[in-house]
Every structure is written in C-alpha cells, then in structure tokens.
Amino acid sequence: MNPFSFRIPPSLISPLFTVALVTTGCAQGPDGIAPSNAVGDSQGTDTDGIDTDDTDAGGTDTGDSGGSSSTGAPDPVCGDGVVEGDEACDDGNLDDGDGCESDCTYTIACGDGLYVPGEICHSMGLSADVGNSASAVVIADLDADGDLDLVASMPDDKKVLRLLFEQGAPADEAEFPTPGTPDRLLAISKGPGDAPDLFSGTIYGPPLLAYDRLENTGNAFFWPGTPLPFYGAPIVFGNFSGGTGLDAISVVPAQNACGNTATTYKNLETSLQNPAISWCWNPETPSAALPADVNGDGRDDLVAVLPGTQTLQLQVMGPGGVPSTSMDLSMTAVSDRFAAADVSGDGTPDVLALPLNESKVMVLALTPTPEVDSVAYVETPDPLVDVAAGDFDGDGLIDLVAASQTQELLFLRAKAPMDWELAHTIVLGDVPSQIAVGDLNEDGRDDVAVALAGFGEVRVALSQP
C-alpha cells in the first residue's frame, strides 16, 4: 500500500495523487464586509448638506443635487473605476459577484476563486495515511529550495514520511526509518539557508524522552546521525549560549540538593560528549518549554510551564548558556500545549497559552525588558488542545488557529494587533495530536496540517478561495 494517499484540489492535481475535497468554508470581516484597502479622505463627504459653492441668491441649497461635498469635490461614484472615500473597491462596473459588489464592497464568497482581503477560506485538500497512528507533523523547507514541505511521524512503523512540494504542489514522497519511536518531531537548521535535520523524540516513561538526529543529506533524504547522549523532561533546542551552532537544554529530576538538574549542551556539532554546564531549575521541573529570544540579545530564552501550578515562567538566559534571571509570566493555570510568536507586531515574541478547562486562548504580549505588556483573551466555543499562529487571510496581520476538544479546527482572524474573532471552523472528526502552519500551496496565505492519531492520518487545510 502506498502510505501517502493524497486528496487534493483540482488546482494541485499531479499524477501521484487523487482528488477528494472534504470540507469547504468561508470567513469574512465584521458586518459581512471585508476591510478596506483604500485610504479615505474628507473629499466626497457632504458633511453639512450645504453647497458652499452655490451662487444662488438664497446662498444655500438644501436640496443639493450636484453631489458635491463641502469642499467642492464630487462625492465618490461607485462604478467609475476609482477607489475613493469609503469605497473598499471599485472595478469600474456595478455587477455583483465579480469580486467587487455594486456598492463597492468586496464580494465575500468562498469557492469563487477570488482572493478578498479579510477572507479566510480553508478546506481539507490533502490527506496522508501514516499507518495506525499519527503523533507529530512539521512544515519546513526540507530541501532548502524555497518551497515549504511536510514531514509526519509513523510511530507504529518507526518511520517518518516526508512530502516535498514544488511550486505549491506535492511533488515527491519518501519514508525514512528512525532509530526509536518518533513520538515527537522537530526540523532544525544548522544555519540560515541550510536544509534542516530532523530530530525524532522517543518517550520513555513518560515523562522522560530522548531524541535521535536524522541527518539531512541536503536533498531531503534522511539517515541516522550521531546519537544524542542525553535524555530529559523536557529537552529544548535553540541558541542559548549566543555562540555558533545548535545548543540543547535537558532537564532531569535529580535526587540531590539541586532538586532538578538542567544541563546546557553547547554546539551539538562538536561538543556532544562534553556538557557545557549544569545548573539548578527550582522549584519544579518544567513539564514543557519553548525557546524564544524575548530580550533580543541574540540568545534564546526559555518559556516554560511549571507542572505543580501549571503557570508560565520565563528563564532569561545569560552568557555561556546559563540563566541570569527568572520571572513569572502568568499565574493562570495553562496546558502544556502553548506557542511563542510575535503576534503583536512589535518584534518581540509573545506567548499563546490555553487556560485549563476554559474555552479561550490567552495571549501575553511581552516586551524586551522583559515583562508582560498586556493580556488578551480570545473566546472560543469549546476548550482547546493546541494553538498556533499564522497569516491565514494574507492581510499581514497574525491570525490564530486552534484545535478544540470537540474535534474542530478554529480559525481566529486578527481584526487588529492583539484583537481576534472566530472566523472559520472545520470539522476534523478526531482530536489532533499536533498542528503545524505554513504556506504549502504558495498563495500568500498560511495552510494548516493536523496529525490525527485516531485516523492514522495527517490532513492539510489548504487556503482555497
């Protein structure tokens, strides 16, 4: 059996795959009108009903039929091909359904093939059979050709399945064995422009896990590399020392005065057998952690969830890969699934977290000082299991996507920085074990891949207007 049985839209047909669209939906801006791309001014607005250019003897013309504003400029005329005033668009006609309506607002209609500002139209256009389970999925440029690709774990077979995209369409697939069970999956580049290696994480216990490195030959073929001689709970990869190369931090509960021992391994390319330094992480071993350069010093810091209280903590890393300071980011209990991304648009990573047993996303806007500048909450119909960020409508603002406990994928459209609304929902039929974001079909709008363990599939919601 070919493990990758794809269902793709007609625009992405290749000889390797078959067509079967599953779900289609559409989102729009507030009040059913997409945001304007025109810059308005005072011309074309009759503010007082008085024509100041009227030279009649009475001096005023309360029934001004000339369509002039108080400045003497004509009011906007929808259908003249000129976007002005409060017009969102003007295509030179008064036809409806052609992208610009007869009232000069955008046509909001998924499936019409037209990209409209503020419109989120995603549908399940790809699916991949990965055996009896699917625990992880990653979107990355695996062959460093400028096109994003997809790789998924096949835990039951101890393999990973990778799919290369060329010019926005699936082009090649292959399977590669992993030394252990790929319960976790990461794609990490050695440097800018390099094809990333894969890191396959096997859970022992839990919570302890160990990672195997799959070396990338440069053309997205992967072979087992040098084993990583450490385990932890968690293990985080990033540049924590400020030097060259990839670092790793592993945290292990220790039966000594330290309580919990964290070890920073600097430059995995050269010093795997020589741990740089160990330090104490107190009072608790984090249950999850992510790298993020919050203070902008060129070194990744650690954002972590402390399991006893399920609260968020920031460990600011200093020179040499050891922490300099730590601070509590929030006292709200959150799940272990969270993300770091600059959603406020100020250049500093922010934190997207899921409050326990609540139907909302909590967004912490961080500053380089570091401190929490503001907190935003995005209400959702049901509690959530995962969250990520991306631009799903192509307007340059960062939207959110979340997976719910009720087996749905929720698109949360950004109306403005730090302000989101529920815009679009796709029924999945299973609770995802992981979601990944990237523009696979190269239309300027991010797509979403979901790993569905219950189905043993990875599915991709592609942007399709």
Side-chain angles (χ1 to χ4, degrees), residues 189-236:
S189 297
K190 298 172 184 169
D194 290 339
D197 294 333
L198 297 181
F199 287 75
S200 170
T202 302
I203 297 176
Y204 296 97
L208 296 181
L209 75 155
Y211 276 95
D212 295 300
R213 185 172 190 163
L214 301 179
E215 297 278 357
N216 193 332
T217 62
N219 56 354
F221 280 78
F222 299 93
W223 307 104
T226 304
L228 303 184
F230 53 83
Y231 61 93
I235 297 174
V236 190

Side-chain angles (χ1 to χ4, degrees), residues 258-441:
C258 183
N260 304 296
T261 301
T263 303
T264 303
Y265 298 83
K266 295 196 297 183
N267 193 354
L268 297 185
E269 304 301 319
T270 61
S271 61
L272 277 176
Q273 307 300 325
N274 183 23
I277 191 168
S278 294
W279 44 278
C280 294
W281 192 318
N282 284 321
E284 301 176 85
T285 303
S287 55
L290 288 176
D293 183 7
V294 176
N295 60 3
D297 64 357
R299 292 185 295 268
D300 282 327
D301 307 304
L302 285 168
V303 181
V305 176
L306 303 182
T309 58
Q310 290 297 126
T311 54
L312 287 163
Q313 183 185 78
L314 174 67
Q315 289 275 2
V316 178
M317 302 302 291
V322 295
S324 59
T325 59
S326 65
M327 62 173 290
D328 292 327
L329 294 178
S330 171
M331 299 309 295
T332 300
V334 298
S335 79
D336 289 345
R337 305 301 292 268
F338 64 103
D342 178 17
V343 298
S344 60
D346 63 356
T348 300
D350 307 305
V351 177
L352 319 175
L354 306 177
L356 287 178
N357 303 316
E358 295 190 55
S359 301
K360 64 179 65 173
V361 180
M362 179 176 68
V363 182
L364 305 178
L366 304 184
T367 66
T369 25
E371 62 183 3
V372 177
D373 179 63
S374 62
V375 182
Y377 295 92
V378 191
E379 302 292 335
T380 59
D382 302 288
L384 306 172
V385 297
D386 204 358
V387 64
D391 184 2
F392 303 113
D393 57 4
D395 65 353
L397 297 176
I398 301 303
D399 311 304
L400 308 180
V401 62
S404 75
Q405 294 180 5
T406 53
Q407 306 176 356
E408 292 180 323
L409 196 62
L410 309 177
F411 290 84
L412 306 168
R413 176 183 169 272
K415 299 182 291 182
M418 298 294 290
D419 185 12
W420 296 268
E421 64 180 357
L422 179 62
H424 180 36
T425 301
I426 295 178
V427 177
L428 298 173
D430 189 18
V431 177
S433 51
Q434 187 177 4
I435 60 179
V437 171
D439 185 9
L440 288 170
N441 60 3

